Amino acid sequence: MNKLTKKFSILLASVAMAAGVGLVGGANSSVAKADVTYKSSIFSASNNADGTNNYTSTVDNTTDGFSVTVANGHNNHKSWDYFRFGQKKAASKGSVTTKSPIDKAISKISVTIGEKCSNVNGIYVYANTTSTFANKANTTITADLTGTSENMYYKVEFDMAQGVNGALEVNQIDFIISGSSATADAFIAAIAKIPAVDALTIADKDLVEAARKEYGYLIDTLKAQEDVVAALATLEAAEAKIAELEKAAQDKADETAAAEVDALINAIGEVTDYSKAKQIKAARDAYEALSDNAKTKVNALETLVAAETALAEYAPVEVETTYKSSIFSASNNAKPNGSYTSTVDNTTDGFSVTVANGNNNNNGWSGHFRFGSNKAASKGSVTTKAPIDKAISKISVTIGEKCSNVNGIYVYANTTSTFAN
């Protein structure tokens, strides 16, 4: 297996509990025309649950609702649309295992190999009715296709020799139903479970969708059978009825929702001041939350717009108000200060702050403090002595004639008198 091989087809073994088939030296083959790919694991980034950058992690992959677990595979943090297996320092085994049993008997598994394919001892397939797989050394290998059945788990194992990191690149795995054993029985049975069209309810949608899914598994020769053609007509009529019922149900739900919004709007009444602002907003929010179809069923929209227009005339104008001030006049300062390392309290109209490291020239400077030292970097501050009982939205600092050597001016707010750095 040292040369590039693009695809292997694996015939499963006829063993009730587990089977293994080595693929070293297997020839290229393609899925026969009558065969149907039932499930696929495509290792694109969008299908992988996570990225891995080593050969020892596990990652789940979900392709069209079908989930597998990839063990000991590397996808380079989801940047590769494939997994690579094999380690440079030790022999290893990577694997892809179905997370739940497959409800149909799988006759072939097709493994698509990418650009890397070396150091492979073998690729083995296991099938079992539980999620526990026996070691391949303990199994009997046979090519009898009767070895699988419905509701089995599957595991594809990559037995890698030591020597190269990422020696095997796997892009995709397909689980295939043999056309030679396929019948239309499951589709016909699914159609039989669907009630007559006149008796259908939305609750029967799952039955209709299950029948459509079964039809999708049929090969062309089965789709041409007379009984299948007749059953398909029944299915299409049921699908049309379900769509009709869903539309009617949605219309009814939209009418109910629109009526509720009409009630909110009509309850607003005449707008003569700003007191109905919340009520009008609630009505608008309820209208905007409706589906496009439901909005067309609202009768009182013009009333809502008129209420919003009237309310705008009463909207309050926000005016900023100075709530407290600290004016640094000599009369407001508790004491004179002639240095840049002392603290002084200032009280302006009953509002007190503490000025730290500010100099007022022994109250000789009327209306200001000066900060900053010629000998060292320093921090001056003005701190409220008690909490302010209203939320402050802005703080305005009036700067005088001196303004240089300032690294920054910072504001801190806290529910206690202790401030973080």
Side-chain angles (χ1 to χ4, degrees), residues 67-150:
S67 296
V68 297
T69 297
V70 181
N72 300 333
H74 190 318
N75 66 4
N76 196 27
H77 294 296
K78 294 178 73 172
S79 66
W80 295 338
D81 285 335
Y82 48 82
F83 280 91
R84 288 181 180 173
F85 300 89
Q87 298 181 28
K88 182 177 182 179
K89 296 183 179 180
S92 61
K93 291 181 180 180
S95 62
V96 177
T97 307
T98 59
K99 294 201 74 175
S100 58
I102 298 178
D103 60 347
K104 294 187 181 296
I106 301 301
S107 62
K108 293 181 182 179
I109 290 181
S110 174
V111 180
T112 302
I113 306 297
E115 296 180 356
K116 299 283 187 180
C117 185
S118 65
N119 290 57
V120 182
N121 293 326
I123 299 177
Y124 303 92
V125 174
Y126 302 85
N128 204 350
T129 53
T130 71
S131 58
T132 302
F133 296 91
N135 187 287
K136 65 180 176 60
N138 298 323
T139 62
T140 301
I141 299 173
T142 175
D144 191 341
L145 299 182
T146 62
T148 61
S149 61
E150 296 178 355

Side-chain angles (χ1 to χ4, degrees), residues 208-263:
V208 175
E209 289 180 340
R212 172 56 70 179
K213 185 176 181 182
E214 289 294 340
Y215 182 78
Y217 301 141
L218 299 181
I219 58 178
D220 290 343
T221 54
L222 291 177
K223 289 180 179 179
Q225 289 181 184
E226 186 176 342
D227 57 344
V228 173
V229 172
L232 178 60
T234 300
L235 172 60
E236 289 174 343
E239 288 173 330
K241 183 63 175 180
I242 290 294
E244 178 186 323
L245 291 171
E246 286 185 325
K247 184 179 184 305
Q250 186 60 57
D251 282 345
K252 184 176 181 180
D254 287 344
E255 288 174 0
T256 299
E260 292 174 352
V261 172
D262 278 333

Side-chain angles (χ1 to χ4, degrees), residues 16 19 24 39 64 68 103 108-109 122 143 198 201 250 268 366 386 394 399 403 417:
V24 174
K39 303 286 186 183
D64 294 330
V68 297
D103 60 347
K108 293 181 182 179
I109 290 181
D198 292 343
T201 67
Q250 186 60 57
I268 295 172
S366 178
K394 291 183 181 179
I399 307 296
C403 185
S417 60

Side-chain angles (χ1 to χ4, degrees), residues 156-385:
V156 181
E157 182 181 80
F158 309 103
D159 188 352
M160 305 298 298
Q162 176 183 350
V164 179
N165 282 336
L168 175 65
E169 180 176 302
V170 179
N171 301 83
Q172 180 171 334
I173 298 178
D174 297 313
F175 298 81
I176 300 161
I177 306 170
S178 174
S180 62
S181 61
T183 70
D185 292 349
F187 174 58
I188 300 299
I191 293 295
K193 295 178 181 178
I194 300 174
V197 171
D198 292 343
L200 276 174
T201 67
I202 293 178
D204 299 315
K205 182 179 181 179
D206 288 346
L207 295 176
V208 175
E209 289 180 340
R212 172 56 70 179
K213 185 176 181 182
E214 289 294 340
Y215 182 78
Y217 301 141
L218 299 181
I219 58 178
D220 290 343
T221 54
L222 291 177
K223 289 180 179 179
Q225 289 181 184
E226 186 176 342
D227 57 344
V228 173
V229 172
L232 178 60
T234 300
L235 172 60
E236 289 174 343
E239 288 173 330
K241 183 63 175 180
I242 290 294
E244 178 186 323
L245 291 171
E246 286 185 325
K247 184 179 184 305
Q250 186 60 57
D251 282 345
K252 184 176 181 180
D254 287 344
E255 288 174 0
T256 299
E260 292 174 352
V261 172
D262 278 333
L264 290 174
I265 295 172
N266 292 328
I268 295 172
E270 185 179 3
V271 179
T272 58
D273 54 33
Y274 203 69
S275 63
K276 295 186 177 181
K278 289 184 179 179
Q279 190 177 1
I280 292 172
K281 184 180 184 303
R284 169 57 69 178
D285 290 345
Y287 173 80
E288 295 299 337
L290 295 176
S291 67
D292 289 343
N293 184 53
K295 286 178 179 178
T296 65
K297 302 178 184 299
V298 173
N299 298 316
L301 180 58
E302 291 184 1
T303 302
L304 174 59
V305 173
E308 290 172 328
T309 301
L311 183 69
E313 297 180 5
Y314 300 103
V317 178
E318 291 188 4
V319 178
E320 291 183 348
T321 302
T322 299
Y323 185 59
K324 301 287 185 182
S325 293
S326 295
I327 301 173
F328 300 127
S329 62
S331 59
N332 291 340
N333 296 327
K335 65 179 182 179
N337 180 38
S339 73
Y340 292 94
T341 57
S342 301
T343 60
V344 178
D345 287 347
N346 174 283
T347 302
T348 305
D349 295 331
F351 174 65
S352 297
V353 298
T354 297
V355 180
N357 301 333
N359 189 336
N360 66 6
N361 195 24
N362 292 316
N363 272 338
W365 293 331
S366 178
H368 65 266
F369 279 89
R370 291 181 181 177
F371 300 89
S373 170
N374 65 352
K375 294 182 179 180
S378 61
K379 292 181 179 180
S381 64
V382 177
T383 306
T384 59
K385 298 200 70 175

